[in-house]
Amino acid sequence: KQEVTQIPAALSVPEGENLVLNCSFTDSAIYNLQWFRQDPGKGLTSLLLIQSSQREQTSGRLNASLDKSSGRSTLYIAASQPGDSATYLCAVMGYYGQNFVFGPGTRLSVLP
Amino acid sequence: EPEVTQTPSHQVTQMGQEVILRCVPISNHLYFYWYRQILGQKVEFLVSFYNNEISEKSEIFDDQFSVERPDGSNFTLKIRSTKLEDSAMYFCASRDGPLTDTQYFGPGTRLTVL
């Protein structure tokens, strides 16, 4: 059964810092991995989708990498801003199901 | 940009009552999902739906739950005889095609069972 973990659980940084969020998964048989943002009491906003054949994806200040063999992904946020404050979730879709398995999230606070 | 919509945004019900949560997926999408998130916990998969039938369901999705696509646009989740532990945020999602495509999530319905 796929298990997804994320570290750290919470992170507080001053504005302007570059930061890395980590995601680990136990079963490397995945179709893809997706990073989401969730604001308090809100829905999930898709940030980046990495296919199993890809190593990384970039969108603006965000860069996500995937090392399928080691079961790891990282989300790099450059030049963080207070508006980046949210919970960041990673989710993997395995070969054996159509659904995402989510991690518990990293709660990010970017201080002005 | 097309988006998934859900109604209501917040539903309050008494224990034992039936509720129907509604979703309008993105119009050309073929695959539909329900997930839930109990406060402070992970997002959990409930059920996936394709070609007018359930394609996969989790152990959470027992006989208390059902899904339906009553017309060409709506996708509903019915919860019969609600329990206190059904209180959660329920998210609908849809996907266009292959498993390599993004799932697009709606804003969620917060269900509170009293």
Side-chain angles (χ1 to χ4, degrees):
Chain A
K1 180 184 173 185
Q2 180 75 270
E3 296 285 342
V4 181
T5 55
Q6 292 184 246
I7 55 171
L11 181 63
S12 184
V13 300
E15 181 177 5
E17 269 202 12
N18 303 324
L19 57 100
V20 175
L21 309 181
N22 297 287
C23 172
S24 297
F25 47 95
T26 55
D27 186 349
S28 62
I30 64 169
Y31 270 116
N32 58 52
L33 182 145
Q34 193 158 356
W35 282 92
F36 294 89
R37 170 186 172 136
Q38 185 176 31
D39 292 285
K42 303 292 186 182
L44 306 176
T45 301
S46 176
L47 297 174
L48 290 164
L49 172 71
I50 310 179
Q51 308 297 347
S52 61
S53 58
Q54 296 175 320
R55 299 284 291 184
E56 64 179 294
Q57 281 285 335
T58 298
S59 176
R61 294 183 293 109
L62 305 180
N63 175 277
S65 68
L66 174 65
D67 184 343
K68 199 174 72 162
S69 61
S70 68
R72 293 180 184 177
S73 176
T74 61
L75 179 67
Y76 174 82
I77 303 177
S80 57
Q81 302 170 358
D84 296 329
S85 298
T87 296
Y88 290 80
L89 305 175
C90 77
V92 297
M93 180 174 291
Y95 285 158
Y96 307 112
Q98 298 182 24
N99 56 287
F100 276 122
V101 177
F102 281 82
T106 293
R107 189 172 69 253
L108 173 65
S109 296
V110 181
L111 307 175
Chain B
E1 182 176 328
E3 58 183 17
V4 177
T5 60
Q6 292 185 241
T7 54
S9 57
H10 191 190
Q11 172 98 41
V12 181
T13 190
Q14 295 291 325
M15 190 169 56
Q17 296 296 303
E18 175 181 288
V19 295
I20 297 176
L21 309 183
R22 302 181 192 279
C23 169
V24 179
I26 294 173
S27 64
N28 61 335
H29 284 191
L30 302 175
Y31 301 82
F32 313 112
Y33 305 83
W34 285 102
Y35 293 81
R36 79 173 185 188
Q37 186 178 32
I38 296 171
L39 187 64
Q41 298 187 22
K42 292 184 182 184
V43 177
E44 302 172 287
F45 167 73
L46 293 178
V47 65
S48 58
F49 192 86
Y50 170 70
N51 199 26
N52 283 320
E53 61 183 24
I54 291 173
S55 48
E56 189 176 358
K57 60 183 180 179
S58 71
E59 59 271 16
I60 302 169
F61 194 89
D62 58 21
D63 291 344
Q64 184 194 6
F65 295 89
S66 62
V67 289
E68 191 178 33
R69 188 157 162 79
D71 53 41
S73 60
N74 289 284
F75 179 51
T76 62
L77 174 68
K78 182 188 289 186
I79 309 175
R80 288 180 281 275
S81 189
T82 50
K83 300 176 256 189
L84 295 177
E85 54 265 37
D86 294 327
S87 294
M89 184 77 97
Y90 288 80
F91 295 107
C92 173
S94 69
R95 174 169 63 83
D96 181 9
L99 289 170
T100 49
D101 284 354
T102 297
Q103 286 187 25
Y104 293 88
F105 281 73
T109 292
R110 179 167 300 284
L111 176 65
T112 302
V113 182
L114 303 176

